[in-house]
DNA sequence: TTGTATGCGTTATCAG
DNA sequence: CTGATAACGCATACAA
């Protein structure tokens, strides 16, 4: 009869909001869309609503949003990336339901779900080597843990297969398309330019391919390109991108399950869940076996 | 001294949450990222927090989220697309702060901000005609008002310039990359295939370009392609996309301003704000003047 | 079964 | 200017 209960009064009484907040670094990276779908799947089943807010990788913004845990605006928070130190994260997670998803912060004591970024980076470079490449460049971002792990995988693959590690082949930059373009410009200007490029994200790799075209080179033929993330963009560009696929939906589902456990009992364990990744081979790497 | 006020008690007393909810059809479309940034800009200045939730174009989900207006979880809602009828929207907006942004629902009485989609569609096709094209195809989606307007612009441009309207050149489909691929397959199979394709979204246009490549055709040379939205993808692909740029950030800012006015006084007017768009010419259309 | 009173944490009001 | 108290809307415990 037109009566709508006031959730504020209810929540005040019940000390629960049935709302989960997901903090995303930016809405412009479609990588997270499937992850969040996974989260919504399991949240919905348990009667929780998922709200999203962007931090733009600003520590202050992140802190303001995490405050919603303390002022009881939401029951739990999942971070898809964080600017907080492992100490700060541990501190919060000790008393409030907080989970890390996709991006791990080394040493932080809270539930987290991720892939083996080191192994994935290793395998991507290993594959390029097996295609016959010796001169493999890396475009990376070392401000995040996963980026450092992927880079380490690159270096160890080179070492394992006795390829020479060339510092000039390693460009450290931010996670944007334009950064991929610029890095490629720099790499191709070298006296002995690389014949393959491993970019630690598809958006970077898209920049690589764009710039190779601009230089009249044919990506996937003259220069092989390997990306990371397997976002939809990877299939949209020509040549389509060989890349590392993360089980995005499962990562989201798993993270939400861990969070709901924490909501039920804050003293539950803090597992680090490693989900399997997968290499995807497309046109940007020319497989000479075919 | 470690005291954090309980926002629930406060809000219950104060009858306000200082939170705005933005309903987005899907997180996978990066079109909305800048729009939301615009919203956040003005919301932050007024001390409002912006929360985002995805509806996946499901009417039920949308209704559940709009319920947050009635149960006082948020102070206002901005819809970036809606499955509700103009009657339903009018009904809600009569008593609660609700604003439409980017996507207009014909006849709905609530504040809305959009561009002149008809005019933009007309101009895009006009440009293709001026490049010398006579056989121009359309890939559209008529389930949304903006799509119908863009299509109408296409038809009127053909008529104005005495080009023949060919129903076989018009493919109606959904808003996805794959749909762009399929539509292009169909179009290029015609006995007399088009020499230019106007797709009413960049994601569709990216599918067009992908498929043209797959058929050994050169987009921007053999077949010109015009997109819509000017999302970052438009610059990432090769050839880069000619497209219609919407003033996304300003649209978000304007929509938030309208919403805050409604929050202050629900009886304020319901303006329809039309912001200027802009044609962007890139490599996917071969300008013969150059 | 139905009804009434109390407390959740805050703000606002009013008396001292 | 300070301190006690009522009210916001709901859920719960207890009484009828």
């Amino acid at each position: 009869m037109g009566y709508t209960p006031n959730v504020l009064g209810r929540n005040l009484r019940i000390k629960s909001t049935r709302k989960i907040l997901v903090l995303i670094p930016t809405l412009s990276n479609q990588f997270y869309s499937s992850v969040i779908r996974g989260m919504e799947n399991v949240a919905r089943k348990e009667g929780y609503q998922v709200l999203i807010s962007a931090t733009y990788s600003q520590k202050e913004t992140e802190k303001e949003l995490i405050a919603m845990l303390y002022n009881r605006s939401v029951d739990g928070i999942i971070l898809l990336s964080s600017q907080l130190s492992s100490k700060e994260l541990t501190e919060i997670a000790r008393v409030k339901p907080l989970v890390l998803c996709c991006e791990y912060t080394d040493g932080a004591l809270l539930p987290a779900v991720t892939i083996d970024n080191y192994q994935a980076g290793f395998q991507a470079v290993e594959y390029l080597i097996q295609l016959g490449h010796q001169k493999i460049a890396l475009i990376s971002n070392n401000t995040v843990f996963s980026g450092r792990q992927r880079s380490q995988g690159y270096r160890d693959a080179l070492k394992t297969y006795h390829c020479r590690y060339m510092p000039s082949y390693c460009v450290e930059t931010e996670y944007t398309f334009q950064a991929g373009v610029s890095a490629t410009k720099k790499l191709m200007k070298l006296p002995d330019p690389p014949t393959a490029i491993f970019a630690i994200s598809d958006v970077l790799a898209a920049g690589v391919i764009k710039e190779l075209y601009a230089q009249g080179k044919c990506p996937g033929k003259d220069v092989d390109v390997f990306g990371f993330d397997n976002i939809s963009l990877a299939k949209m560009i020509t040549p389509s991108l060989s890349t590392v696929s993360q089980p995005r939906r499962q990562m989201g589902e798993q993270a939400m399950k861990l969070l709901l456990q924490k909501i039920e009992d804050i003293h539950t364990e803090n597992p680090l869940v490693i989900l399997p990744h997968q290499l995807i081979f497309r046109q940007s790497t020319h497989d000479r076996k075919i």
Side-chain angles (χ1 to χ4, degrees), chain A residues 72 174 176 181 220 229 262:
Chain A
R72 325 235 38 155
E174 42 177 347
T176 65
V181 170
D229 286 346
K262 273 287 181 185

Side-chain angles (χ1 to χ4, degrees), chain A residues 3 43 45 48 54 65 70 199 229 232 241 267 270 281:
Chain A
Y3 165 72
K45 274 190 200 129
Y48 282 87
L65 289 163
Y70 289 94
D229 286 346
S232 52
L241 258 183
H267 296 112
N270 295 318
F281 307 110

Side-chain angles (χ1 to χ4, degrees), chain A residues 134-229:
Chain A
Q134 291 285 321
K135 298 182 281 184
I136 302 172
L138 169 75
I139 302 177
S140 72
N141 177 297
N142 294 330
T143 60
V144 290
F145 191 68
S146 66
R148 292 193 293 274
Q149 288 189 305
R150 292 170 198 177
S151 302
Q152 189 60 46
Y154 161 87
R155 284 189 295 272
D156 283 7
L158 291 187
K159 191 190 282 178
T160 303
Y161 289 92
H162 310 294
C163 294
R164 192 151 151 239
Y165 170 75
M166 304 263 287
S168 60
Y169 280 177
C170 298
V171 183
E172 218 257 307
T173 184
E174 42 177 347
Y175 265 112
T176 65
F177 173 77
Q178 260 313 318
V181 170
S182 311
T184 306
K185 264 195 191 113
K186 192 188 286 182
L187 286 170
M188 300 313 284
K189 253 190 228 148
L190 291 175
D192 189 21
T195 62
I197 300 178
F198 173 42
I200 65 157
S201 95
D202 287 346
V203 175
L204 281 171
V208 173
I209 284 177
K210 180 79 183 181
E211 176 59 19
L212 288 175
Y213 270 128
Q215 298 197 4
K217 301 229 166 27
C218 183
K221 208 167 164 193
D222 302 332
V223 180
D224 278 356
V225 181
F226 214 102
F228 210 114
D229 286 346

